[in-house]
Amino acid sequence: MKIGIIGGGSWGTTLAQALTDNNNEVLIRDINADFVKKINETHLHPFFDKPIPESIKATTDLDEIANYSDYLVLCVPTKFMRGVLKELYSATKGQKTLINVSKGIEPDTSYLVSQIVEQEMKEKVKDYVVLSGPSHAEELIDRKFTCLVSASKNSEAAKKVQLIFSNDKYIRVYTSDDVVGVETGGAIKNAIAVVSGIATGLGLGENARAALITRGIRETIKVVEILGGKTETAYGLSGIGDLIVTASSMNSRNFQAGLRIGKGEDYGHVLETSAQTVEGVRTIEAAHTIAKKYNTELPLIDLAYEVLFEGREIKEALSSLLNRDLKQEI
Ligand SMILES: NC(=O)c1ccc[n+]([C@@H]2O[C@H](COP(=O)([O-])OP(=O)(O)OC[C@H]3O[C@@H](n4cnc5c(N)ncnc54)[C@H](O)[C@@H]3O)[C@@H](O)[C@H]2O)c1
């Protein structure tokens, strides 16, 4: 079948290859004309410079992608999502099944992508599915084994996306009905990955990282529950699975951004000079806003917020974490 992908960066172009391997026809839309040219003319991944199937086509034209297929994959950074959906609403004829693969919370509003889609695409959404889980583009581009979860309120739509993306060689997709839980886990893990990177940059070791990841899952669960998702989803691929792969890997640009911040670089400079999207820093801001709104403490995220956005000294912040009241683990 035909599938359109909006956003042909690291992840979008990697998914294009997987979808092509599964015998689909794929068109990518990206606003970066150099990426589009590179995909069409050299058949190389725009970030990784690795060969991708020649049948993958790319365009800068929104109208072309809007009406290319009934299935559109959303793969732009969350901060651009609302703008993309507004344009898409005007350009699409008929209803679409939207498959969101981006992982973040909208910075100014603290909305999940499912909520932005509801607000901006309204009656033009046939079904909404989120596809998430532990997945570095750097590995999937080499067709390394990856498990994902496809979540939708419509179980048939979740199953359809499961079938579209699964194959018997390197991708296995599970289904879920917990859109909020899956989206929240995918977003919060980027925030925790930044925290984990900061700790590593400060010279803390693997003991500390394991503790941060474990406490990070507690914070993920809190946000999942506040937003109305299921606790058990946080223990699945989109929660703990994605946290493990992101919060301890040099392949994670969120971990790497944290590492640079922990070594003393200014976070604004880190964001400006990262070639790829770093969702985690903005997610720290959004999750902190959610915690305040619902009167909940997220010790790691709140502390990272104070360091990044309020100028709190990192080492002092860390020692305040250790000086919190001693308590039961769970
Ligand atoms: N890279 C990964 O391993 C990975 C894995 C899973 C999920 N994700 C998520 O996917 C999303 C995208 O990440 P990425 O790594 O591909 O980022 P990226 O920075 O590599 O690519 C983003 C792409 O979006 C394009 N873009 C920006 N605005 C656009 C618009 N209005 N229309 C079309 N294209 C537009 C940019 O030109 C760029 O090519 C993020 O939310 C990320 O968390 C990434």
Side-chain angles (χ1 to χ4, degrees):
M1 62 188 283
K2 283 176 154 190
I3 299 175
I5 299 182
I6 303 179
S10 311
W11 192 226
T13 306
T14 299
L15 287 176
Q17 171 171 277
L19 288 168
T20 306
D21 285 353
N22 291 0
N23 298 317
N24 298 290
E25 277 177 58
V26 179
L27 178 69
I28 293 172
R29 188 263 177 160
D30 202 286
I31 49 169
N32 184 328
D34 291 337
F35 285 5
V36 167
K37 194 164 178 237
K38 190 165 174 182
I39 292 168
N40 287 335
E41 293 180 10
T42 65
H43 312 294
L44 291 174
H45 188 291
F47 275 105
F48 305 140
D49 275 333
K50 295 190 173 175
I52 54 171
E54 291 192 9
S55 65
I56 297 173
K57 300 283 177 265
T59 179
T60 53
D61 186 348
L62 184 83
D63 284 334
E64 197 181 343
I65 197 83
N67 297 299
Y68 175 75
S69 163
D70 292 339
Y71 286 83
L72 293 178
V73 177
L74 304 173
C75 193
V76 295
T78 315
K79 65 178 174 182
F80 302 128
M81 193 60 84
R82 190 177 292 276
V84 167
L85 292 169
K86 277 184 194 294
E87 286 181 333
L88 201 59
Y89 182 79
S90 309
T92 45
K93 299 183 185 89
Q95 289 191 311
K96 302 287 169 191
T97 292
L98 297 176
I99 307 167
N100 173 43
V101 297
S102 73
K103 294 173 178 171
I105 302 180
E106 193 175 40
D108 296 330
T109 64
S110 301
Y111 285 132
L112 297 171
V113 174
S114 51
Q115 294 171 300
I116 311 173
V117 163
E118 222 171 274
Q119 291 157 11
E120 301 297 342
M121 288 298 284
K122 302 167 200 144
E123 78 283 356
K124 291 200 174 174
V125 184
K126 180 168 184 283
D127 284 302
Y128 177 83
V129 184
V130 54
L131 184 69
S132 192
S135 45
H136 288 312
E138 288 81 351
E139 292 192 4
L140 195 68
I141 196 66
D142 290 334
R143 300 182 171 87
K144 289 191 177 167
F145 185 82
T146 302
C147 281
L148 299 169
V149 57
S150 153
S152 177
K153 286 181 190 159
N154 177 352
S155 62
E156 289 309 312
K159 274 188 210 154
K160 180 75 186 172
V161 170
Q162 177 184 44
L163 286 175
I164 291 172
F165 281 86
S166 293
N167 59 41
D168 58 5
K169 295 187 178 65
Y170 65 95
I171 303 185
R172 180 170 171 80
V173 182
Y174 293 81
T175 58
S176 161
D177 61 3
D178 186 9
V179 171
V180 170
V182 168
E183 279 191 335
T184 306
I188 299 296
K189 63 93 192 186
N190 283 332
I192 303 295
V194 173
V195 176
S196 170
I198 292 176
T200 306
L202 282 169
L204 275 70
E206 291 182 7
N207 295 351
R209 192 185 306 161
L212 287 175
I213 293 175
T214 312
R215 296 311 296 172
I217 204 68
R218 299 292 306 162
E219 297 193 16
T220 306
I221 289 168
K222 275 191 188 175
V223 184
V224 165
E225 288 176 348
I226 285 174
L227 296 181
K230 296 179 185 173
T231 309
E232 60 265 32
T233 304
Y235 292 115
L237 290 165
S238 59
I240 202 161
D242 212 354
L243 191 57
I244 290 170
V245 81
T246 311
S248 61
S249 165
M250 291 304 284
N251 269 339
S252 160
R253 83 281 311 258
N254 290 285
F255 179 81
Q256 279 192 21
L259 195 66
R260 289 172 60 190
I261 295 166
K263 286 183 175 165
E265 276 187 64
D266 171 67
Y267 95 86
H269 177 70
V270 170
L271 289 192
E272 270 166 33
T273 53
S274 295
Q276 295 156 290
T277 303
V278 180
E279 292 268 22
V281 172
R282 289 293 162 205
T283 305
I284 287 172
E285 196 181 5
H288 176 74
T289 307
I290 292 171
K292 261 174 73 180
K293 184 173 167 193
Y294 290 92
N295 214 10
T296 293
E297 266 197 320
L298 301 174
L300 296 178
I301 286 172
D302 292 343
L303 196 118
Y305 177 85
E306 287 166 20
V307 168
L308 296 176
F309 297 98
E310 294 180 340
R312 189 166 178 191
E313 211 271 316
I314 298 188
K315 287 194 177 138
E316 183 272 317
L318 198 67
S319 85
S320 78
L321 202 58
L322 292 173
N323 283 318
R324 283 162 49 85
D325 287 346
L326 295 172
K327 52 173 108 164
Q328 272 198 306
E329 186 188 15
I330 292 170

